[in-house]
Amino acid sequence: MEQPIRILIVEDNVIIADDMQSMLEEIGYEIVDNVIVYEQAVEVLKNNEVDLVLIDIILASDKTGIDLGKHIRENYNIPFIFVTSNSDRATVENAKSVKPNGYLVKPFEQQDLYTSIEIALSNFISVVKKGEESQEEEDDKLMANKVLKDSIFVKKQHLYYRIQFGDIQFIKADNVYLEVNTVDKKFLVRSPLKDYLEKLPQNKFYRAHKSYIVNVDHIDAINSKDILINETLIPISKEFKLFIISAMNS
């Protein structure tokens, strides 16, 4: 069963706070707590899992809802919505300084509350996902085809595997991807075959065919048209056949 969205209400008007809680619970949200001052909210956030915070800007304490918004931005990666009766320019400008995920003006209906929460959550998740994807792209650029003295890093799913050059048997071009075959694994790499060949030791790896790079140490057999590596028949060019025969006879 899907976990309900956990919401913290920070509102110093008890009647409004209770109405909000009733509205939210009727929709299906889970209320983590319903508090009236900054200090209580900080304590709840520290000790509970919270998905979103609804914050009144004016609270019954020296610290305001904007102070709480700043605290959340600095310490938690969760969205919050200001819920206030103040919509004057100065209040809005002050609220914008902590980048809330929504701004709901009282009085409001249940549908207004629901819409504000769902849009805030959706936008927040999209931004987080985009940020994660951007970071992953940066990692990919940093690690993609990273060459060490005796090995190369190849990505598979979310891990970068270090492959010893000696374990690579052959590499097959397949459209924009390369299939890197080792003794017991296959990896897909996005790279032109020619560029990948330049990353490999020149005394071991050769372009055997327009679509293949092979490690000569893994060649098991050869005929006039093919070589055999680990029971895989690989076509070879005329030039490569002459090279292998010459190397065998030298």
Side-chain angles (χ1 to χ4, degrees), residues 70-110:
K70 183 179 180 182
H71 175 78
I72 292 171
R73 279 285 170 265
E74 292 175 349
N75 296 278
Y76 301 95
N77 190 28
I78 58 174
F80 63 87
I81 297 172
F82 284 135
V83 181
T84 180
S85 56
N86 300 84
S87 57
D88 59 280
R89 182 184 294 271
T91 302
V92 172
E93 288 300 317
N94 202 13
K96 282 164 60 179
S97 68
V98 292
K99 297 180 172 57
N101 302 92
Y103 195 100
L104 187 59
V105 179
K106 304 171 189 173
F108 49 80
E109 301 294 332
Q110 184 183 52

Side-chain angles (χ1 to χ4, degrees), residues 1 21 42 48 56 64 125 133 153 169 178 191 211 245:
M1 185 176 178
Q21 180 162 346
V42 169
N48 297 271
D56 187 8
T64 67
I125 291 169
E133 289 173 348
F153 279 100
Q169 296 184 323
L178 302 180
S191 171
S211 300
I245 292 173

Side-chain angles (χ1 to χ4, degrees), residues 4 8 16 25 30 45 48 56-58 67 102 159 165 208 215 238:
L8 168 62
I16 293 176
E25 288 178 337
E30 177 184 325
L45 287 166
N48 297 271
D56 187 8
I57 289 180
I58 306 302
D67 293 318
L159 292 174
F165 289 135
N215 183 342
K238 180 180 178 181

